[in-house]
Amino acid sequence: MKPAFFFTLLTLVSGLASAQPVVLDRAREARESGLPQVVVHDLRVALQKTKDADMRASLAAELGRCLVDAAREDEAIDLLGAEEFAEAPEARFWLAQAYAQAGNFSDALAEYTVLSIDPAFRRRTEATLGRGRMLHALERPDEALEVLLSVAPGSAAGNSARLDAAAILVKLQRQPEAEEVLNSLDDLNRRDDEQRRYLTGLLALDEGKSEQALQIFETLDARNRRTAAAAAIGATEALLRLNRTDDAENLAEAAIDANPRSPLLFEIMAKLGEVYSRQDEPANSELRRWAADKSAPGRAALATYHIARNDERVGRTTRAIIGYQAFLAAHPQHPLRTEATSRLAFLQLESAQLEPAVRSLDGAEDLAENAADRARIQFLRGTANFQAGNYAEASRLFLEAAASPGLERDAAFNSALAAILAGNPESTRADEVLRDSHPTLAAGIELARTFRRAAQGAPDAGRELQRIARDAPTPELRDQANFGLTEWRLARAENRGRDGGRDFHLVANSSIPAEQAGYFRVYAADDGSPAAIPAVIAAAQGYLEENPESPHEAQVRMKWGEVLARRGDYRAARVQFEAAGRAATDRELTSAALFLAARSAARSMDAAMIEQAVLLFDEVARDGGSLAAQARLEQALLKNAAGQTDDAILLLDQLMKETADSRVRLAALLKKGDTVFSLGESDPERWREAAAIWQQVADDPAATPAERNEALAKAGFASVKIGDFDAALSAGYRVLDAPRDTQPEYFWYYRAGSDIGQLLESRGQLREAIAIYEKMAAAEGPRSDEFAQRVKRLRLENFIWEN
C-alpha cells in the first residue's frame, strides 16, 4: 500500500508543480505583448493556491513585475514587501523597481544596494544601474557617478550606465569629465551611439560652442524618433543662443511639420513657444494651419493651445480666453487641460470675471495629474474665493496650495492674510510656514493681524504695534507699524468685506388509396413559401374532416401547426401541436408535439398561455423522453422571464443533476448564471455568484468555443459590476488568447475584447487598450479592419507612439 500511495502522491505533487510554470509562461507572454494586467488575477489565484516557497517567490516576482509595468507600484510594494519574500532576490529587485517608480527613491536605493553586492544575483548589473539612478534622483550626483562608472564596460548595462553618467556630468557642467566618459565608450549599438552624439551636442552648447552644437544636432541622422526629436530641440536652442530667432522658428516649425506624430511633439511645441516668446508679434499662420489639419489631431490640439498662449503673451486677453475655452471644449481630456484651465482662470480673474473663473475651475482639481498641478488649481480657487469675499475657504485653499514648493511663499502669505480677513485672530499654520522660511513676510502678516485687532478695538493693539515697529526686519515694515500706531491712537480703522459669489430583429400519387393520397396532398401543398400556407391548412382541415379516425392525424396536425407557426399564429399553432400530441401513439412523437405546443404557447405573449407553456414543458420533462432535459430548460427560462427566479434556479439545479447531456448541462449553467446575475441590483453578491457559475462553464472541458467565450465574456462583465478589475481583464483575455479553431466563434470574441478594451480606456490605460485592439485586428475576422482603425484613432488622439 505504501509504495502505491507514495507514487500517487508524487504524481499529484508533480501535477501541481508543472501547472504553475504555465501561469508564469502566460504571464510573460502577456507582459511582453504590452498587457501586464490581464494576468494579474491569474497570478494572484496561483499564488493563493501554491504552498511551495520557491514557487511562491517566482509567482510573486512575476506578479510584482506585471504590477510595476501596469503602473500599479503601490500594489507591487504591498505584495513584495512581505517578510516571506525578504530572501528572494528577484522579488526584491522588482520591489526596488516599484519603489523607484513610486518616487520612494530612498527605499529603492536600499534594495538596489543589497542586490548590487550579491555576486549570485543574476540581475546584479541592473541593480547597480538602478542604484546609480536612485542616487542621482536623490541629488547625490557624486555618489551616483561613482556607482554608474563602476559598472563593467563590457556588461549588458555598461554603456547605459556610462551614458547616464555622462548625462549627469553634462547637467553638472563638468564638461571635461563628461567628454572623457563619452570618449571611453566603444562597441555601441546604433541607439546608444545616437545618444552619445546627442550628449556631445549638449556639451558643446554648455561650453558656449553653439555653432558646433548646431552642426552636431543637424547632422545627427537618428533612427530613434525620440533622439531625433531631442536633436531638433537642441538645434533650435543653439539657434536661439546665436540670436537667429527666425531660423529657430523655421527649424522648429519644419520639424513639427515633417513629424506631426513625433514622440516629443509636446517638447518641440514648447520649444517653439519659447521662440515665439522672444518675438514682439509672433505669427500664428503655421499654428492655424496645423490647428485646421484633422489628419494630425495631436498636432492640431497643441497648435490650438499655442495660438491662445501667443495671444496671452502679447496681451490679447479676450482672444486668449476664447482660445483656451475653445481648446478645452474640443480636447477635455488633453494632457494640457490643467495648464489651459489654469491660464484661462488666471486671465478671467485678472479681468474681474469671477463667476466664469469659478466655472472654469470647477472639477479641474480632480483632473489634475500631479500634486503641482493640483496645487496651482487650489491657488486659483483660493484667489477666486478671496475675490468673492469667502475668506475662510480662501485661507484653507491657499494653505493646501502652500504644500507645493513653487507656491509655498505666496500661498502661505495669502492664506494667512485671508484668515485675518475671515476674522481669525490667532496665528495659523500659514504663519508657521512663513516664520520658518520667509521671516519678512511673516512679520508683514503679524502687522496685518495687529491692524485688524486694532480696528476691532483690542486694548493691547497699541503695545503690539510698538513692538513690531521696534523689531521690524525692514524699514518699510517699521514705517507701516509706526503709521498704524499713530492712526490707532487717533481713530478706529474699518474693514469691509464683500459678499461671495457661487460656484453645475410528396408528391401526391393518384394511383394510391384516397386516404393516403389525401395525407400526401397535405405535404405536397407546401412549397415552403408564405403563399402556400392557406393551401396546406385547407388540405389538412379537409383531410381530418374526411378521415376522422386516420392513423396519420398526429402527423397532419403537426404539419398544420408548423405552417401556422411560420405565419406567426402561435395561439392556433399551439392548439394543433397539442392535439397532435394527444392523438399520437408514438412516445417520441407525443413529446415532440407537446414540446412544440409549449414553445408556441410561450411565443404567444399571453400570460395565461405562458402558464400553459410551463405546464406543457413540465409534462414533457416528466415523461423522460429525449426532449425531457430541453423541456426542463425551457420551463426554467419561462419561470425566469416571469420573474419567478427562485423557481427557475431550482429547475435548473434539478436539470443539472438529472441530465447526462453535457450540452444541456452547460446550457443550464449559462442560464443559471443569467438568472443569478439578474438579481444583482438588489443583492450585489449575486453578481459574484454569477461570475463563479460562468467560470464553471469556461473551465469545463466539454464546453464548445462559443459556450466558453460566452461564459468568459459574461463573467468579465459580472466582475466589472463587483469592481474586480483584474478578474474582468483575465476573463476577457482568456477569450482573446484561446486558440482559434477552423470555425472560430466571433460574436462573444469581439464582445469580450471590446469590453476589456473599453474598460482599459475608461481607466486611462490606453497603451494596453491599444494592445488589446491590435490583437483583435491581427486575428482574421469580419471586424479586423474596425479594430485596426480604432488603434489608429487612439494613437492619433492620445499621442501614443511605438517608440
Side-chain angles (χ1 to χ4, degrees), residues 233-508:
I233 295 170
T236 304
E237 175 62 25
L239 288 167
L240 284 175
R241 295 191 185 188
L242 292 167
N243 294 317
R244 293 166 57 182
T245 307
D246 290 343
D247 290 337
E249 178 182 4
N250 292 335
L251 189 151
E253 288 180 344
I256 294 167
D257 204 47
N259 301 283
R261 298 172 182 81
S262 168
L264 293 182
L265 185 61
F266 274 73
E267 290 80 357
I268 303 177
M269 288 290 269
K271 181 57 69 174
L272 180 58
E274 186 180 334
V275 174
Y276 290 145
S277 71
R278 299 197 186 186
Q279 298 172 332
D280 294 333
E281 192 69 29
N284 283 340
S285 55
E286 284 300 290
L287 291 175
R288 295 192 187 283
R289 181 170 66 83
W290 294 334
D293 183 6
K294 304 307 180 186
S295 68
R299 184 178 65 184
L302 286 170
T304 303
Y305 170 82
H306 280 280
I307 290 170
R309 189 75 180 93
N310 275 351
D311 286 335
E312 180 186 355
R313 286 192 183 101
V314 299
R316 295 191 287 261
T317 301
T318 301
R319 284 174 58 176
I321 287 174
I322 294 171
Y324 286 131
Q325 288 173 329
F327 170 79
L328 289 166
H331 310 287
Q333 300 301 318
H334 195 280
L336 282 174
R337 61 181 178 266
T338 304
E339 176 72 21
T341 299
S342 299
R343 308 207 75 89
L344 170 62
F346 174 79
L347 291 176
Q348 290 170 325
L349 290 169
E350 287 283 293
S351 305
Q353 300 178 30
L354 179 58
E355 289 192 9
V358 170
R359 288 195 298 271
S360 297
L361 293 168
D362 187 35
E365 190 176 335
D366 295 334
L367 295 175
E369 295 183 351
N370 55 62
D373 284 346
R374 283 191 290 275
R376 289 170 62 196
I377 296 298
Q378 287 172 318
F379 187 94
L380 288 165
R381 288 180 60 209
T383 304
N385 276 275
F386 192 95
Q387 287 189 10
N390 302 325
Y391 299 121
E393 178 66 5
S395 178
R396 182 188 70 80
L397 290 164
F398 282 132
L399 184 58
E400 290 182 8
S404 179
L407 295 172
E408 181 185 48
R409 187 193 69 176
D410 292 343
F413 182 86
N414 288 354
S415 177
L417 181 60
I420 293 171
L421 294 175
N424 182 359
E426 304 299 327
S427 176
T428 66
R429 171 62 185 151
D431 294 76
E432 297 174 19
V433 172
L434 292 172
R435 197 176 299 121
D436 292 343
S437 52
H438 304 285
T440 300
L441 291 178
I445 286 296
E446 185 180 19
L447 180 59
R449 182 173 288 108
T450 306
F451 280 156
R452 179 78 170 185
R453 296 182 66 251
Q456 293 171 341
D460 62 343
R463 186 169 62 253
E464 285 299 304
L465 287 169
Q466 283 181 315
R467 182 186 61 78
I468 294 172
R470 183 185 69 242
D471 299 335
T474 66
E476 292 81 9
L477 283 175
R478 183 170 59 249
D479 291 345
Q480 289 177 31
N482 279 321
F483 181 82
L485 178 60
T486 302
E487 185 177 350
W488 179 78
R489 286 168 177 166
L490 297 175
R492 297 296 182 188
E494 246 183 348
N495 288 323
R496 293 185 177 88
R498 294 198 302 265
D499 290 334
R502 36 162 142 179
D503 303 324
F504 358 164
H505 166 54
L506 309 158
V507 175

Side-chain angles (χ1 to χ4, degrees), residues 545-562:
E545 289 174 354
E546 294 172 6
N547 303 280
E549 302 298 327
S550 170
H552 300 301
E553 178 185 353
Q555 291 89 341
V556 170
R557 290 192 181 277
M558 288 286 281
K559 187 63 181 179
W560 192 348
E562 175 197 332

Side-chain angles (χ1 to χ4, degrees), residues 110-139:
E111 296 296 335
Y112 283 133
T113 300
V114 171
L115 296 168
S116 67
I117 59 176
D118 181 357
F121 181 47
R122 68 186 185 95
R123 295 184 186 272
R124 181 183 179 187
T125 302
E126 294 175 58
T128 304
L129 181 58
R131 179 185 173 193
R133 287 173 172 170
M134 292 306 98
L135 288 166
H136 181 210
L138 290 166
E139 298 183 358

